[in-house]
Amino acid sequence: MIKAILIFNNHGKPRLIRFYQYFAEDMQQQIIRETFHLVSKRDDNVCNFLEGGSLIGGSDYKLIYRHYATLYFVFCVDSSESELGILDLIQVFVETLDKCFENVCELDLIFHMDKVHYILQEVVMGGMVLETNMNEIVAQVELQNRMEKSEVQVWASI
Amino acid sequence: MALKIVKGSIDRMFDKNLQDLVRGIRNHKDDEAKYISTCIDEIKQELKQDNIAVKANAVCKLTYLQMLGYDVSWAAFNIVEVMSSSKFTYKRIGYLAASQCFHEGTDVIMLTTNQIRKDLSSPNQYDTGVALTGLSCFVTPDLARDLANDIMTLMSHTKPYIRKKAVLIMYKVFLKYPESLRPAFPRLKEKLEDPDPGVQSAAVNVICELARRNPKNYLSLAPLFFKLMTSSTNNWVLIKIIKLFGALTPLEPRLGKKLIEPLTNLIHSTSAMSLLYECVNTVIAVLISLSSGMPNHSASIQLCVQKLRILIEDSDQNLKYLGLLAMSKILKTHPKSVQSHKDLILQCLDDKDESIRLRALDLLYGMVSKKNLMEIVKKLMLHVDKAEGTTYRDELLTKIIDICSQSNFQYITNFEWYISILVELTRLEGTRHGHLIASQMLDVAIRVKAIRGFAVAQMATLLDNAHLLTGNTQRNGICEVLYAAAWICGEFSEHLEDPMQTLEAMLRPKVATLPGHIQAVYVQNAAKLFATVLRKHDGETESQAAQETSQLLIDRLPLFVQSANLEVQERASCILQLVKYIQKLQQKNVEVAEEVTALFAGELNPVAPKAQKKVPIPEGLDLDAWINEPPSESESEDEKPKAVFAKEEPKHSRSRHTEVDEKELARRREVRKQEQANNPFYIKASPSSQKVYDAPGVEHIPVVQIDLSVPLKVPGMPMSDQYLKLEVERRQKEKAERKKKEKKKKREKRGKERKADSGPESEEDITPAHQVDIVTEEMPENALPSDDDDKDPNDPHKALDIDLDKPLADSEKLPVRTHRPEALKSPAEDRDSESVPQETKKKSGKEKKKDKEKDRKRSKEEKKKKKKHKEVEEELLESQPEEAVQSEETKEAAAPPTSTSAEASDLDFWLSSAPVPPAAQEVTAPSSAAAAVDTSSAAAPESEPDEPKDTEPEDTKSSKHKKKKQKKEKEEKEKKKKKRHHHHHQHHSDAGGEDSVQNGTVEEEEPLPPMSNYSLLAENSYIKMVYDIQGNHQDESKVVVSVIFENKSDSFLKSMEFNVLDSLNSKLQRPEGAGAHDSLTVPFQLPPGVSNEARFVFSVQSIIMPQKLKGTLTFIVKSDESSTHEKLDFKLHFTCTSYLITTPCYSDAYAKLLESGDLKGSSLRLEGINMPFHHLLARICFHHHFSVVERIDSCASMYSRSIQGHHVCLLVKTSDQTVSIDAKCDEPSLLGNVLDEIKQTFSKC
């Protein structure tokens, strides 16, 4: 199970947070801060797994993260997930973002948090991996966007 | 209206959208909070408007603010409003917001149930998808209960997109509503073989997640997963399955044996590191589970270690990390294979990556042996010196202590060395772990008696140099060590060379700067030292020294009397008064030493950590009794403070080692025992720990004397290294002497206390430098052995520990619609008790009902196979009688003792067949393997429905799928054509009629009498047949007839053949190639007293009329001496009811349906019905496959649908024993017949 997915930038500003277990807002912020603190002090050439992070999880949980340019993508997972698998999943997710936003950059995530959520929803659902095939994910996202657009057109034509 | 919309859209142009909000926040970096609060005010305004677009926009912005940490729960109701928008765009926004901020405590969630249900059944797959996604994040127990059935229906949706989401969300539903697990499980299992890889992956995911927590319930799925593993190419699925096997294999070592080969093949063949890694992990798990039984798997271990070494040597830090992680698992069972890679692991200690260093440390923990402990610790000590950053250094420190102290100091051969290490560690700057070192010192000094002399000397040095430890306030953590030092010096002061000097060191003014609890120990132990000094000078008349000591105390103690710490103050003033009194006596030349030492007499023993918990409640003590009444006994107060109040044992001998003569020892033991027996505060040792003291021959162990003079005299200098050298020398010397001593040692070993000595031979040869008298921890008398202390009662997965192999009781069906399920005595149980005379419910009943559970369509293909299976079975019966008994289900039921459950025996059989390489299995299908798989599937078709692929080429399967698809498409087209309403699905619960039992029942009403839909088909002296007919929800022209055959005779019934005379309208489905009049073989035999269920599929054309089919069952009765051919005729009655399928319907759709005017009406009056209304409804639901749409007092609307899509609506009213039913249906003759049947049902009762 994936317990949480956090995206924040090099300064710890959250760009997307997705908890699959309930935490109150202040706790969420504390977790983000702690996670950022743990992750940010690590070099880029060390491994992408981190144990600990006392707030979230416990001994069974791991932080698995990737650092892309200005953004950290952090997944908090338990031992039922394959570590390398999750790393691949992060890559799939980021590549999907890249496809959907065309050369994704931090600004896309800043201004379109909702869209990022919709993409993420096609990858992970309720803490479980839903789809790992990028083409399938992109296809579903696009179909839904098209539907949204058609609704907007109907709207505009009124 | 139009005007309003236009106005709304104009308004909207002036609203901020999400992008504007983000931009605004970025532009107000200085006063962000203020800006956001104005934005929230705007949002509140927007939420007040009627325009849903404005609301959705506001909610979208709130979602963003929620991410920034703002609580937006106040808008929960607005979120629900946006969720219920009919537009996908807004719905999606609503659900997203809900998934981000709803949780179990959100009260508006109750309002969403119907909305979500509506979305789930929306014709637009994305509405459904969005609802599922949202629900997965905020599902509550109530939602789970109310929606479980709807979601289960979606698991068979036509769109794989919905199927996979529905499958995944089931896991969440199970967690919140564990009762749903069993009813939903068969379908979930079915999804493991879904044609869509995404759905399949989702099902694997869910089952793996379930199985991880309660693996034993999923063992029976092993064959199915095994097949998936050898056939799947999806790495995600493979990884999950392999992980699952890792969890299963500890429960079933034979599974492990079967797995090893395919896993090793995968390891060799795969290029995906993630897969390789998981394979290695599972092989390790297998090896661990096999470690006891199968000695020879060295090849596999070697392969794993080899692959892991490659990972560790990889430049990719991630692989390195994982390699070490997996290595630590091998270590537990095969330490030797890992130890050969010590170099590599020590190398990792130098890695720049902290995670990797920590992993390497973990590994070292398990790699130590008596041989290499000193060497490894030396390496670690070097790292301690080099380490930057306190976190890592603290980690090193704890690891060193862990490594040394593990399993009761198992690997320490020289405790002097260990004490030196501990003393060296005290020189660490800024460590947080002072208390850890302190507790180790205490532990060693208390439990290793032989080391006390040395420990005391070291501690005295520490006390003397206390200024080095306390000099810097930053290093406060380490001063905890002084606590231990002071206590050890005081408690074991008889070992002190110069107690006077230590006493002086303990009373220095500087001590007053230490933390209070340490000062308190100082003061107390100063008194102990005082007693020792007095005893030392005992007998000397007018001892100057003794009086000087008293004076010293009288001079120094007032400092502590002034202490702000209460404990210190109290102890100091007590002791001060005592010393003053003693001084007076001394001046009068009175002998006081004896009495003062008596103050501290007695010995402290370590107490086991759980001792307190295990004190049995004494008889007559009621812990729940009023506290004011004096408790009868007070044993439970016996907890001893760990070390603070120490008592000194009077010792006359000052010998360092136990070189006292036998007599003296015996006397002392006696005295001590006497003392302990009389001391009410002493927790008596349990018999086992008492042995520790009485163990014979402790004193015979030769003590290897070590010249301590060199290393010990240098205070504060590293000395552990010297021990390393000494140790090497010692071992060499010992080796030479070993032969001489061999005989003697054997005898001595027996007397030794060390139980943990279990290392390899070579290790055992290393004798400890001291006789290691490790005192075992004490437990209270009569302690109850219990190992369940560590389970977390709050684990949500505990509720999911459900036996999935048990047959489903009908009461376990998922609740349909919002009516609450009620505990019912299931009709199934009835059936059982009538058909199976003895206990067999668990055994044969299982098979039968499990059969019922599986999807109807399967029965068709099963039959095709049955013939083949039978042949194989019979072959087996001859060749391997014992195994055949296990695999053959009917026999199994007759002979329950052979195995505990049929499932288990199937698994047994699957496991016991020789492991066959998967490739060979597929290509060549060796007869033995094929037979094995076939029989097992025949025995339990429910556990692996499509198992025997070996004999059935793949293409039949795919063609089957194609056929199914076509059918579905056809159905869909037809549905579109009809376009009556879109609120129902062509898929609904396959639970059929039974699950509607709950329909009519409402909470708090009396329970229903048991009901059964099975009616008698035919009966004679040998056999009884009962049957039930149900529509096949996936095929509009098929019904399934389930027949239970019960053997009433004392003979064996076999070769049963079932035949029916087809009519134009209804035909029995026969396997391809069979003639129109051929009979079908019943796929089982019946031992005496056993019953079993078989299913037959009929195709029907018109369903508007009931009809009867004549048929015959032929069978052979085989008794001991003879066998006769028998025949039984029967009439199958296809009622119109049996063409109806329970289908939920929503009240709005129901109303529309009635308004549409397409339906023709009819009505029925029943007189003299005196049963409660809910019973009446339940009967209609149960026997006639209806579901309740709405119920108001004594009036209810009900709905059902025929397999061909006719709607049947009922309005049932009751008053004074009269029930009137108004009914509408688009097919009047069908309706008439159904009403007749309803009438009949009630006339019967």
Side-chain angles (χ1 to χ4, degrees):
Chain A
M1 285 276 283
I2 300 170
K3 200 171 193 181
I5 296 172
L6 308 175
I7 306 178
F8 44 73
N9 71 359
N10 288 347
H11 305 289
K13 282 239 184 263
R15 294 304 176 216
L16 176 131
I17 56 173
R18 175 70 276 194
F19 286 90
Y20 294 105
Q21 180 191 339
Y22 173 68
F23 290 102
E25 274 77 10
D26 48 347
M27 191 64 181
Q28 291 185 356
Q29 295 300 314
Q30 212 175 322
I31 290 171
I32 296 168
R33 274 196 298 276
E34 194 199 52
T35 313
F36 170 70
H37 183 71
L38 283 172
V39 167
S40 61
K41 65 178 182 198
R42 293 172 63 85
D43 286 344
D44 271 352
N45 54 1
V46 301
C47 74
N48 297 339
F49 312 119
L50 248 178
E51 277 150 282
S54 50
L55 287 176
I56 197 166
S59 60
D60 197 35
Y61 285 86
K62 266 199 192 80
L63 297 177
I64 299 177
Y65 72 97
R66 271 180 186 272
H67 189 198
Y68 293 91
T70 59
L71 290 173
Y72 285 99
F73 289 72
V74 186
F75 280 47
C76 174
V77 304
D78 69 10
S79 61
S80 73
E81 301 294 340
S82 146
E83 290 88 348
L84 293 172
I86 293 292
L87 275 181
D88 283 350
L89 186 74
I90 300 179
Q91 183 68 24
V92 166
F93 179 44
V94 172
E95 279 177 31
T96 311
L97 288 178
D98 200 49
K99 260 200 179 168
C100 294
F101 284 109
E102 285 157 21
N103 284 326
V104 70
C105 68
E106 194 185 340
L107 278 179
D108 292 317
L109 272 75
I110 294 173
F111 285 107
H112 302 284
M113 182 204 71
D114 49 344
K115 301 218 164 49
V116 182
H117 266 297
Y118 299 144
I119 295 167
L120 182 62
Q121 282 176 357
E122 297 304 322
V123 184
V124 178
M125 186 178 123
M128 284 183 287
V129 180
L130 179 68
E131 184 60 67
T132 52
N133 178 344
M134 185 166 63
N135 295 331
E136 171 73 14
I137 299 166
V138 174
Q140 296 297 352
V141 169
E142 272 172 3
L143 275 170
Q144 292 181 56
N145 288 345
R146 212 171 294 156
M147 211 165 97
E148 194 175 298
K149 243 176 232 160
S150 73
E151 282 184 353
V152 171
Q153 275 161 8
V154 170
W155 172 256
S157 65
I158 290 175
Chain B
M1 180 68 187
L3 192 72
K4 208 173 174 186
I5 290 171
V6 172
K7 187 171 168 286
S9 66
I10 290 171
D11 277 348
R12 207 185 154 204
M13 284 177 0
F14 297 105
D15 289 336
K16 281 197 202 83
N17 63 14
L18 176 62
Q19 282 76 30
D20 299 326
L21 174 77
V22 176
R23 209 166 286 130
I25 292 173
R26 286 162 70 82
N27 289 338
H28 291 77
K29 287 223 164 83
D30 302 329
D31 53 347
E32 194 182 288
K34 198 176 148 207
Y35 178 76
I36 289 178
S37 78
T38 60
C39 286
I40 289 180
D41 288 342
E42 280 170 29
I43 289 170
K44 282 183 176 158
Q45 287 306 313
E46 287 165 27
L47 287 176
K48 280 183 191 148
Q49 295 190 32
D50 286 337
N51 189 330
I52 193 72
V54 177
K55 270 190 186 153
N57 182 45
V59 165
C60 185
K61 288 190 282 186
L62 281 178
T63 314
Y64 184 82
L65 293 177
Q66 195 271 345
M67 177 178 80
L68 298 184
Y70 289 85
D71 176 19
V72 299
S73 54
W74 49 269
F77 186 75
N78 303 105
I79 292 173
V80 174
E81 284 179 310
V82 176
M83 276 163 74
S84 49
S85 158
S86 58
K87 283 216 164 49
F88 173 73
T89 315
Y90 306 141
K91 192 185 287 299
R92 182 150 83 150
I93 292 171
Y95 272 103
L96 174 62
S99 71
Q100 288 291 80
C101 64
F102 281 12
H103 55 94
E104 268 185 38
T106 310
D107 41 9
V108 293
I109 280 193
M110 311 183 308
L111 306 177
T112 59
T113 316
N114 276 317
Q115 179 57 41
I116 295 172
R117 178 176 285 136
K118 212 164 120 189
D119 288 335
L120 289 182
S121 55
S122 159
N124 180 344
Q125 63 162 330
Y126 291 113
D127 283 352
T128 315
V130 142
L132 283 172
T133 307
L135 188 62
S136 73
C137 294
F138 58 77
V139 61
T140 62
D142 284 343
L143 281 178
R145 187 196 56 229
D146 294 340
L147 296 172
N149 200 49
D150 303 66
I151 296 169
M152 199 160 111
T153 312
L154 290 179
M155 280 165 73
S156 324
H157 199 271
T158 46
K159 296 265 174 35
Y161 179 75
I162 297 302
R163 283 210 301 277
K164 73 182 176 192
K165 288 196 167 194
V167 167
L168 269 193
I169 202 178
M170 277 320 278
Y171 178 64
K172 295 278 175 160
V173 173
F174 296 152
L175 278 184
K176 300 287 177 189
Y177 180 56
E179 289 88 336
S180 62
L181 178 56
R182 281 166 43 75
F185 195 70
R187 192 171 296 189
L188 182 62
K189 204 160 83 181
E190 204 179 293
K191 294 296 144 199
L192 285 175
E193 302 193 279
D194 196 278
D196 183 85
V199 182
Q200 197 186 38
S201 156
V204 169
N205 210 337
V206 170
I207 293 188
C208 288
E209 205 61 55
L210 289 168
R212 201 168 73 93
R213 311 293 182 148
N214 300 300
K216 66 174 191 307
N217 300 335
Y218 299 86
L219 258 181
S220 59
L221 289 182
L224 182 56
F225 276 112
F226 190 80
K227 202 192 89 198
L228 280 178
M229 184 177 82
T230 46
S231 61
S232 177
T233 52
N234 179 341
N235 278 354
W236 272 95
V237 171
L238 279 176
I239 286 175
K240 282 280 171 193
I241 294 176
I242 287 168
K243 265 185 169 289
L244 172 71
F245 276 131
L248 292 182
T249 184
L251 301 172
E252 182 49 270
R254 284 174 300 168
L255 175 62
K257 279 186 222 165
K258 233 180 147 71
L259 283 172
I260 284 235
E261 190 155 350
L263 286 179
T264 15
N265 288 345
L266 265 177
I267 291 177
H268 283 301
S269 63
T270 185
S271 59
M273 272 300 174
S274 46
L275 185 58
L276 173 106
Y277 173 69
E278 295 305 337
C279 285
V280 169
N281 251 335
T282 298
V283 170
I284 293 169
V286 168
L287 293 175
I288 290 173
S289 73
L290 290 181
S291 59
S292 49
M294 296 266 291
N296 221 347
H297 271 294
S298 52
S300 310
I301 301 165
Q302 277 316 312
L303 178 69
C304 289
V305 175
Q306 220 175 58
K307 287 281 173 188
L308 290 180
R309 185 168 179 118
I310 293 171
L311 290 185
I312 296 172
E313 281 172 339
D314 199 288
S315 61
D316 184 342
Q317 296 282 328
N318 291 329
L319 298 182
K320 189 174 279 208
Y321 173 90
L322 293 175
L324 289 169
L325 194 66
M327 203 66 120
S328 64
K329 287 178 194 152
I330 301 189
L331 191 69
K332 280 175 202 138
T333 46
H334 301 86
K336 275 195 181 158
S337 4
V338 182
Q339 271 160 11
S340 56
H341 299 280
K342 203 174 73 191
D343 55 318
L344 188 65
I345 289 152
L346 286 175
Q347 211 177 303
C348 289
L349 276 184
D350 296 321
D351 201 283
K352 57 190 180 305
D353 187 345
E354 199 174 291
S355 305
I356 287 177
R357 288 197 305 252
L358 290 175
R359 283 267 77 91
L361 270 180
D362 270 352
L363 266 176
L364 280 180
Y365 176 82
M367 282 174 66
V368 291
S369 62
K370 285 180 185 166
K371 259 189 196 160
N372 61 15
L373 174 73
M374 286 184 163
E375 187 194 337
I376 286 180
V377 171
K378 184 186 163 194
K379 271 258 166 65
L380 292 180
M381 291 300 282
L382 282 179
H383 279 283
V384 170
D385 290 337
K386 277 193 291 180
E388 301 155 17
T390 48
T391 353
Y392 178 59
R393 209 177 41 194
D394 279 357
E395 190 62 34
L396 272 171
L397 189 152
T398 42
K399 268 286 133 55
I400 290 176
I401 288 178
D402 279 356
I403 286 175
C404 293
S405 64
Q406 66 177 305
S407 33
N408 213 3
F409 306 108
Q410 187 188 349
Y411 299 114
I412 295 185
T413 50
N414 186 338
F415 278 92
E416 290 184 5
W417 163 83
Y418 185 44
I419 296 266
S420 324
I421 288 285
L422 289 175
V423 171
E424 274 175 49
L425 286 174
T426 61
R427 291 181 294 110
L428 274 188
E429 270 183 62
T431 180
R432 289 181 291 117
H433 292 301
H435 62 277
L436 199 62
I437 303 175
S439 71
Q440 282 294 301
M441 287 173 168
L442 286 171
D443 207 16
V444 172
I446 294 171
R447 294 171 62 182
V448 186
K449 289 185 176 162
I451 200 67
R452 284 180 189 165
F454 179 76
V456 166
Q458 289 290 301
M459 294 305 119
T461 326
L462 262 185
L463 286 179
D464 215 21
N465 297 307
H467 57 280
L468 293 176
L469 299 176
T470 52
N472 190 339
T473 42
Q474 283 289 302
R475 304 161 72 194
N476 249 347
I478 206 67
C479 64
E480 289 289 331
V481 171
L482 294 175
Y483 175 99
W487 190 85
I488 292 171
C489 284
E491 181 68 17
F492 307 118
S493 51
E494 73 270 16
H495 297 293
L496 269 178
E497 292 282 346
D498 187 357
M500 190 59 196
Q501 191 197 341
T502 310
L503 184 60
E504 198 274 333
M506 281 168 73
L507 294 171
R508 283 179 198 151
K510 197 102 203 258
V511 172
T513 60
L514 289 173
H517 67 286
I518 299 180
Q519 284 186 54
V521 170
Y522 264 65
V523 171
Q524 183 76 14
N525 285 286
K528 291 186 204 167
L529 281 176
F530 176 60
T532 315
V533 175
L534 286 187
R535 169 178 291 284
K536 209 174 173 184
H537 300 286
D538 195 18
E540 302 168 26
T541 45
E542 276 190 41
S543 164
Q544 197 61 32
Q547 290 194 17
E548 268 172 27
T549 319
S550 310
Q551 194 53 46
L552 177 74
L553 281 167
I554 290 169
D555 290 346
R556 299 279 178 88
L557 279 175
L559 177 68
F560 297 101
V561 175
Q562 295 161 13
S563 169
N565 188 299
L566 204 65
E567 180 87 21
V568 181
Q569 202 187 79
E570 195 178 10
R571 289 192 193 194
S573 51
C574 252
I575 291 168
L576 184 60
Q577 289 314 311
L578 181 73
V579 175
K580 278 182 180 164
Y581 179 67
I582 292 170
Q583 198 183 28
K584 270 185 204 156
L585 292 176
Q586 278 176 333
Q587 280 157 0
K588 289 181 197 159
N589 258 336
V590 182
E591 291 272 323
V592 287
E594 195 82 31
E595 280 151 61
V596 176
T597 24
L599 285 175
F600 304 107
E603 188 169 340
L604 288 173
N605 284 310
V607 177
K610 283 175 189 163
Q612 176 65 27
K613 230 193 316 186
K614 302 218 168 173
V615 176
I617 297 175
E619 240 179 280
L621 173 64
D622 181 7
L623 288 176
D624 300 325
W626 287 106
I627 202 142
N628 286 342
E629 288 166 19
S632 52
E633 284 168 77
S634 58
E635 263 104 310
S636 59
E637 286 170 13
D638 276 0
E639 193 184 11
K640 249 198 285 189
K642 211 170 177 192
V644 183
F645 300 104
K647 292 189 180 65
E648 204 169 322
E649 186 192 0
K651 270 196 185 166
H652 303 291
S653 147
R654 287 190 41 79
S655 62
R656 172 159 295 187
H657 303 295
T658 43
E659 290 161 336
V660 221
D661 64 344
E662 189 78 55
K663 241 177 157 182
E664 167 72 6
L665 265 176
R667 196 187 62 77
R668 258 159 55 182
R669 265 202 297 273
E670 207 43 54
V671 169
R672 202 184 310 133
K673 259 192 226 160
Q674 198 62 44
E675 243 165 25
Q676 287 167 2
N678 296 334
N679 186 348
F681 297 107
Y682 189 84
I683 301 178
K684 274 91 183 167
S686 60
S688 65
S689 64
Q690 192 67 48
K691 260 184 226 146
V692 170
Y693 297 101
D694 298 338
V698 181
E699 44 283 348
H700 294 301
I701 297 173
V703 175
V704 183
Q705 293 285 351
I706 291 179
D707 184 3
L708 299 176
S709 57
V710 185
L712 296 189
K713 297 291 175 184
V714 196
M717 289 290 285
M719 356 164 232
S720 53
D721 289 0
Q722 274 109 328
Y723 282 102
L724 194 55
K725 260 184 253 159
L726 281 172
E727 182 71 16
V728 174
E729 284 166 24
R730 188 178 70 84
R731 278 182 199 169
Q732 278 166 350
K733 212 167 80 189
E734 238 171 48
K735 236 181 211 168
E737 287 176 26
R738 191 166 298 144
K739 264 185 191 163
K740 243 193 280 171
K741 286 189 178 174
E742 201 105 72
K743 260 189 193 166
K744 209 175 158 197
K745 226 192 278 168
K746 255 184 202 163
R747 189 160 22 91
E748 289 147 7
K749 273 256 168 66
R750 231 172 290 137
K752 234 170 32 169
E753 315 261 279
R754 297 282 303 279
K755 291 169 220 147
D757 257 358
S758 56
E761 281 259 305
S762 61
E763 289 209 351
E764 271 188 74
D765 292 344
I766 303 166
T767 52
H770 287 258
Q771 94 245 35
V772 189
D773 175 18
I774 297 179
V775 181
T776 45
E777 289 159 339
E778 297 199 329
M779 284 297 239
E781 273 177 294
N782 317 323
L784 306 164
S786 61
D787 288 318
D788 51 352
D789 313 300
D790 306 322
K791 278 190 184 158
D792 179 11
N794 296 326
D795 185 4
H797 296 93
K798 241 178 139 180
L800 286 182
D801 188 1
I802 294 169
D803 182 5
L804 294 163
D805 296 333
K806 246 175 28 196
L808 266 185
D810 284 356
S811 59
E812 279 187 291
K813 293 287 153 62
L814 289 178
V816 183
R817 312 284 339 265
T818 51
H819 297 276
R820 305 278 161 94
E822 201 168 322
L824 289 172
K825 188 168 176 281
S826 72
E829 273 170 61
D830 258 16
R831 229 190 295 138
D832 268 350
S833 51
E834 74 189 33
S835 57
V836 187
Q838 301 107 356
E839 46 83 50
T840 40
K841 195 165 90 192
K842 243 192 167 166
K843 313 229 155 65
S844 75
K846 162 186 297 179
E847 312 291 339
K848 176 179 64 190
K849 274 187 284 168
K850 283 294 280 287
D851 260 57
K852 224 163 126 35
E853 263 320 293
K854 65 183 176 182
D855 205 270
R856 261 101 216 189
K857 69 170 187 242
R858 213 180 294 136
S859 58
K860 191 174 66 180
E861 55 188 73
E862 246 162 56
K863 259 179 287 163
K864 255 188 271 172
K865 293 172 208 155
K866 286 289 149 78
K867 259 187 186 158
K868 213 179 295 165
H869 294 162
K870 246 196 119 174
E871 288 160 18
V872 181
E873 271 164 34
E874 268 160 3
E875 262 175 43
L876 274 170
L877 269 172
E878 286 157 16
S879 57
Q880 301 158 280
E882 206 185 303
E883 275 180 334
V885 167
Q886 286 197 337
S887 64
E888 228 282 352
E889 59 178 343
T890 47
K891 275 197 156 187
E892 141 74 19
T898 51
S899 92
T900 47
S901 83
E903 283 286 349
S905 76
D906 299 333
L907 187 67
D908 278 352
F909 192 77
W910 179 74
L911 288 168
S912 61
S913 66
V916 178
Q921 217 170 353
E922 267 159 29
V923 182
T924 61
S927 59
S928 72
V933 178
D934 268 1
T935 25
S936 70
S937 77
E942 63 275 14
S943 77
E944 56 254 82
D946 295 323
E947 180 68 27
K949 284 285 125 55
D950 320 42
T951 49
E952 252 190 4
E954 282 293 317
D955 52 353
T956 51
K957 187 184 167 198
S958 59
S959 77
K960 221 178 289 156
H961 287 310
K962 256 182 239 159
K963 228 160 74 187
K964 205 162 65 187
K965 254 185 212 156
Q966 283 166 354
K967 238 180 261 162
K968 275 179 189 162
E969 275 161 20
K970 207 170 81 186
E971 221 170 52
E972 190 138 271
K973 265 183 225 157
E974 233 161 49
K975 204 177 141 201
K976 273 183 197 151
K977 237 188 283 167
K978 285 181 186 166
K979 264 207 171 163
R980 290 232 168 76
H981 68 85
H982 48 249
H983 269 291
H984 62 261
H985 286 260
Q986 66 266 49
H987 297 281
H988 22 71
S989 156
D990 68 348
E994 289 98 322
D995 68 347
S996 56
V997 181
Q998 287 90 21
N999 279 337
T1001 63
V1002 182
E1003 262 185 337
E1004 289 156 33
E1005 283 176 4
E1006 52 185 297
L1008 281 165
M1011 289 188 277
S1012 169
N1013 257 347
Y1014 281 78
S1015 45
L1016 185 67
L1017 185 58
E1019 185 175 13
N1020 65 11
S1021 56
Y1022 298 107
I1023 194 163
K1024 179 180 173 188
M1025 300 197 285
V1026 291
Y1027 76 111
D1028 179 34
I1029 305 175
Q1030 269 168 8
N1032 184 333
H1033 64 289
Q1034 281 180 336
D1035 195 320
E1036 58 183 51
S1037 63
K1038 297 226 169 33
V1039 289
V1040 178
V1041 179
S1042 316
V1043 185
I1044 298 176
F1045 299 89
E1046 183 197 347
N1047 186 349
K1048 291 166 60 190
S1049 70
D1050 300 327
S1051 319
F1052 204 90
L1053 302 185
K1054 54 183 260 184
S1055 305
M1056 290 187 281
E1057 303 209 333
F1058 181 91
N1059 202 3
V1060 170
L1061 268 177
D1062 292 348
S1063 72
L1064 277 177
N1065 192 33
S1066 313
K1067 289 188 174 63
L1068 174 61
Q1069 294 263 306
R1070 295 180 169 88
E1072 277 165 56
H1077 304 292
D1078 287 357
S1079 51
L1080 287 181
T1081 309
V1082 179
F1084 46 78
Q1085 305 174 334
L1086 288 178
V1090 165
S1091 63
N1092 207 336
E1093 179 171 358
R1095 285 182 196 179
F1096 305 94
V1097 181
F1098 286 78
S1099 61
V1100 285
Q1101 277 173 353
S1102 163
I1103 59 161
I1104 57 171
M1105 296 287 279
Q1107 60 170 280
K1108 286 181 178 164
L1109 290 186
K1110 276 185 188 169
T1112 318
L1113 180 81
T1114 58
F1115 53 94
I1116 295 174
V1117 182
K1118 198 176 174 195
S1119 54
D1120 291 337
E1121 57 274 8
S1122 66
S1123 64
T1124 52
H1125 215 92
E1126 293 289 338
K1127 186 176 133 181
L1128 178 62
D1129 291 328
F1130 56 83
K1131 262 187 193 165
L1132 262 178
H1133 189 186
F1134 288 86
T1135 57
C1136 281
T1137 291
S1138 53
Y1139 302 129
L1140 296 183
I1141 297 173
T1142 314
T1143 313
C1145 182
Y1146 308 108
S1147 48
D1148 45 354
Y1150 187 79
K1152 252 185 230 165
L1153 192 64
L1154 289 178
E1155 284 163 11
S1156 67
D1158 296 341
L1159 307 184
K1160 320 248 172 346
S1162 177
S1163 66
L1164 174 72
R1165 265 178 88 84
L1166 300 167
E1167 303 278 353
I1169 304 286
N1170 51 356
M1171 61 170 79
F1173 188 54
H1174 74 278
H1175 283 195
L1176 178 98
L1177 293 183
R1179 270 179 195 279
I1180 298 177
C1181 286
F1182 184 75
H1183 292 295
H1184 300 282
H1185 309 173
F1186 276 85
S1187 63
V1188 176
V1189 179
E1190 228 169 353
R1191 177 187 160 184
I1192 302 157
D1193 298 331
S1194 57
C1195 179
S1197 50
M1198 306 177 87
Y1199 175 80
S1200 184
R1201 191 169 147 265
S1202 78
I1203 53 172
Q1204 294 182 355
H1206 304 105
H1207 304 284
V1208 187
C1209 306
L1210 299 183
L1211 184 66
V1212 187
K1213 285 184 221 158
T1214 180
S1215 61
D1216 304 334
Q1217 303 201 354
T1218 308
V1219 178
S1220 69
I1221 300 177
D1222 289 313
K1224 281 192 171 181
C1225 175
D1226 37 11
E1227 181 52 62
S1229 52
L1230 175 69
L1231 182 63
N1233 289 318
V1234 169
L1235 288 180
D1236 283 348
E1237 284 160 18
I1238 291 178
K1239 195 172 177 180
Q1240 236 168 37
T1241 306
F1242 287 99
S1243 67
K1244 270 185 225 158
C1245 48

